[in-house]
Amino acid sequence: MIDAVTALLPTSAHVLIGPGDDAAVLAASDGRVVVTTDMLVESVHFRRDWSSAYDIGRKAAAQNLADVVAMGARPTALVLAFAAPPDLPLRWATDLARGMANECARVGAVVAGGDMARADVVVLSVTALGDLEGRAPVRRSGARPGDLVLLAGGVGSAAAGLALLESSDARLIEQFADLVAAHRSPSPSYESGLALAELGATAMIDVSDGLSSELHHLARASGVAIAIDDVVPAARLSAAGAALGADAREWVLHGGEDHAILATVPPELTNAAAVWTTCIGVVGTGEGVTMAGEPLTARGWDHFRGRA
Amino acid sequence: MIDAVTALLPTSAHVLIGPGDDAAVLAASDGRVVVTTDMLVESVHFRRDWSSAYDIGRKAAAQNLADVVAMGARPTALVLAFAAPPDLPLRWATDLARGMANECARVGAVVAGGDMARADVVVLSVTALGDLEGRAPVRRSGARPGDLVLLAGGVGSAAAGLALLESSDARLIEQFADLVAAHRSPSPSYESGLALAELGATAMIDVSDGLSSELHHLARASGVAIAIDDVVPAARLSAAGAALGADAREWVLHGGEDHAILATVPPELTNAAAVWTTCIGVVGTGEGVTMAGEPLTARGWDHFRGRA
């Protein structure tokens, strides 16, 4: 299985030594390396009957690549630790690897190594590395009063897709296939995140747990207050909400896993990002997060409790 | 739990940004970074009733640090992805982190970040990073005919310790507590591995799966034959073998998880390493591995089948 997976993985100039030795060796051109890791557990973070191996691979890659981008770094490589039941079809593993490799290719990264073990359920642990290309890392703590709050990428679609799958309503799942696809394999806007870093974003964060909780993370880490405008769900989300009897605003405010990039940017720089971001609010002095003048509670996906 | 674990972790000059942001940022002083990852699954790779959380943490760290050293690199940092049942005591997680941090400290590395998730059993996925400090990586493929085969660290003790635990014989487990401890938390000789790299080792490999299979890996990757001398188990291993009715030679040849470092070194350089390594054989032309003139079959721990 390791050979079959390794054989299909493309490589890149960043990979000085790839799979097959005790460890991989990667270029870290500016003398620093960005690293993040995430674990996905079957029936907690994904279901094999709800998502294809290819989509699970894309998603596992995406959430780690988005974390690297949210530091202002270009992802260069992933390593994958993978546990599975002995009866897992080889095809499932190779599809997973193809999904990871293809998501990596969207931002110029590759899968550079891994490990395989046995477990009763599929467990994926992805570690992503990135290159700051000489830039300062963009932390959560850099937001300053007066900055504008920008969002690159949409939020709420993945949560809507999850709600559709949970409804088991085949007709709705087909009708809103775009939202279900957003849940199965989100497409973070890596280049927008990198462009925000290049532009001079003061803070950035990957929206993995829900907009409300990420806004609170930013505000707390930076010691500032954030005021966002009232949220108006896109028509598509509102239609799915109406069909399910759910509140689409909840998906937008508290739904996770879209992996949009949330950034704060000095106002004189925001114009350059106006085409590929949405301005959703402003940074002020004080603390806490408000929406249309009312306190906005942090709520979102809790990775430890999960929601399988 | 994340806060409690993070609070007790020491940091180092290699860590430019530690836990608490989307990703960590580490120094990679010579423009390259070595990376390896391993997954440990409860009841496949460890048992919570056989090993303390502290020992499991040390072992999880050790096996990844040894892989980095086997490339000739000094380990700088680990990141840990960790899944556990919701009822896991906080103390177990903090003991695990202490074990990892203390094993890292043996070689100057630190735990720089992580992720926590829910699962029915404890799953640890460790990714270790290392710094080649300007040296060329030491690969599996560099052994040349005429090189001598050196071993830094003992082999067989961890397998003996596992056999003792599997016997459930409390008296023997107490009598051979040193071997049981070698299974619970091996102590790889990191500095010996680094010194071998500095000395000019042509190939190195971490003995994680058993000496016989690692010898075959080296021979195949390098396109050479390896001839080792007959193995004579240490008296302590022979005594444990006799007590259990087991063949101690099997532990030495095929037992994994001691994380000794196996290296090939040109003969003119081996004298410098004579104090802290054992010369076990010689590299020749051809292919395959022999012991005392007879073919030696590769056999060892299979991480996918496991042996819980």
Side-chain angles (χ1 to χ4, degrees):
Chain A
M1 192 174 273
I2 289 175
D3 291 342
V5 167
T6 304
L8 63 84
L9 295 175
T11 187
S12 84
H14 275 102
V15 181
L16 306 177
I17 295 178
D21 220 305
D22 288 275
V25 183
L26 306 171
S29 66
D30 75 355
R32 298 169 298 173
V33 62
V34 172
V35 58
T36 181
T37 191
D38 257 322
M39 187 174 279
L40 287 88
V41 180
E42 179 176 358
S43 88
V44 177
H45 299 93
F46 63 87
R47 286 177 52 164
R48 280 196 270 162
D49 57 339
W50 279 3
S51 296
S52 68
Y54 182 87
D55 280 346
I56 292 166
R58 277 198 56 198
K59 185 171 186 163
Q63 69 182 53
N64 282 278
L65 298 170
D67 274 332
V68 170
V69 165
M71 293 303 288
R74 180 170 290 277
T76 53
L78 302 182
V79 292
L80 168 68
F82 173 63
D87 63 354
L88 187 85
L90 175 62
R91 178 63 189 269
W92 202 94
T94 54
D95 283 353
L96 177 88
R98 270 194 202 91
M100 293 188 65
N102 286 2
E103 186 66 22
C104 282
R106 292 186 57 222
V107 70
V110 296
V111 180
D115 179 47
M116 214 167 272
R118 177 169 70 87
D120 291 334
V121 297
V122 174
V123 182
L124 309 175
S125 181
V126 176
T127 301
L129 305 181
D131 182 349
L132 285 160
E133 301 175 322
R135 288 183 296 272
V138 185
R139 308 198 56 172
R140 299 179 174 186
S141 52
R144 294 292 166 259
D147 288 349
L148 299 184
V149 181
L150 306 185
L151 192 61
V155 289
S157 296
L162 179 62
L164 286 158
L165 285 167
E166 285 173 342
S167 78
S168 302
D169 184 325
R171 194 183 53 81
L172 288 181
I173 288 171
E174 191 185 325
Q175 183 182 341
F176 293 101
D178 53 326
L179 301 178
V180 172
H183 166 76
R184 287 183 173 139
S185 67
S187 288
S189 185
Y190 306 120
E191 297 303 333
S192 299
L194 293 170
L196 282 163
E198 190 67 43
L199 187 67
T202 50
M204 290 207 295
I205 192 168
D206 163 40
V207 183
S208 58
D209 289 340
L211 184 59
S212 61
S213 51
E214 308 299 0
L215 286 164
H216 275 274
H217 288 148
L218 265 191
R220 193 163 46 238
S222 297
V224 297
I226 294 179
I228 65 165
D229 305 325
D230 200 10
V231 159
V232 181
R236 190 73 180 149
L237 289 176
S238 297
L244 285 173
D247 184 353
R249 287 167 54 94
E250 295 284 302
W251 295 331
V252 174
L253 287 173
H254 311 298
E257 301 198 295
D258 295 288
H259 299 290
I261 302 285
L262 181 66
T264 58
V265 176
E268 66 274 19
L269 302 177
T270 53
N271 199 41
V275 172
W276 36 274
T277 62
T278 307
C279 181
I280 64 168
V282 62
V283 179
T285 55
E287 59 179 18
V289 179
T290 56
M291 179 172 68
E294 299 294 321
L296 177 66
T297 305
R299 194 147 56 78
W301 172 284
D302 180 319
H303 282 288
F304 194 66
R305 278 180 320 196
R307 44 161 107 159
Chain B
M1 191 174 274
I2 290 175
D3 292 342
V5 167
T6 304
L8 63 84
L9 295 175
T11 188
S12 85
H14 275 103
V15 180
L16 308 177
I17 296 178
D21 220 303
D22 288 276
V25 183
L26 305 171
S29 66
D30 75 355
R32 298 168 299 172
V33 62
V34 171
V35 59
T36 182
T37 192
D38 258 323
M39 187 176 278
L40 286 88
V41 180
E42 179 176 0
S43 89
V44 177
H45 299 92
F46 63 88
R47 286 177 51 163
R48 279 197 269 161
D49 56 339
W50 278 3
S51 298
S52 68
Y54 181 86
D55 281 346
I56 293 166
R58 276 199 56 199
K59 185 171 185 165
Q63 68 182 53
N64 282 277
L65 298 170
D67 274 332
V68 170
V69 166
M71 293 303 288
R74 181 169 290 278
T76 53
L78 301 183
V79 292
L80 168 69
F82 174 62
D87 63 355
L88 187 85
L90 174 62
R91 177 64 188 268
W92 202 95
T94 54
D95 283 352
L96 177 88
R98 269 192 204 92
M100 293 188 65
N102 286 2
E103 186 65 22
C104 282
R106 292 186 57 222
V107 68
V110 296
V111 180
D115 180 45
M116 214 168 269
R118 178 168 69 85
D120 291 335
V121 296
V122 173
V123 182
L124 309 175
S125 182
V126 176
T127 301
L129 307 181
D131 182 349
L132 285 160
E133 301 174 323
R135 289 183 297 272
V138 184
R139 306 196 57 173
R140 300 178 174 187
S141 53
R144 293 292 166 257
D147 288 349
L148 298 185
V149 181
L150 306 185
L151 193 59
V155 289
S157 298
L162 179 61
L164 287 159
L165 286 168
E166 285 173 342
S167 78
S168 302
D169 184 326
R171 193 183 54 80
L172 289 181
I173 288 171
E174 192 184 324
Q175 183 183 341
F176 293 101
D178 53 326
L179 301 177
V180 172
H183 166 76
R184 286 183 173 138
S185 68
S187 287
S189 183
Y190 305 120
E191 296 303 334
S192 298
L194 293 169
L196 282 164
E198 189 67 44
L199 186 67
T202 51
M204 289 207 296
I205 191 168
D206 163 40
V207 183
S208 58
D209 288 340
L211 184 60
S212 61
S213 51
E214 309 298 2
L215 286 165
H216 276 274
H217 287 148
L218 265 191
R220 194 164 44 240
S222 296
V224 296
I226 293 179
I228 67 164
D229 304 325
D230 200 10
V231 159
V232 181
R236 191 71 180 148
L237 290 175
S238 297
L244 285 172
D247 183 353
R249 286 166 53 93
E250 295 285 302
W251 295 332
V252 174
L253 287 172
H254 311 299
E257 301 198 293
D258 296 287
H259 300 289
I261 301 285
L262 181 65
T264 57
V265 176
E268 65 275 17
L269 302 177
T270 53
N271 198 41
V275 173
W276 36 275
T277 62
T278 307
C279 181
I280 63 168
V282 60
V283 179
T285 55
E287 58 179 19
V289 179
T290 56
M291 180 172 69
E294 298 294 319
L296 177 67
T297 305
R299 194 147 56 79
W301 172 283
D302 181 320
H303 284 289
F304 194 68
R305 276 181 319 196
R307 44 161 107 162

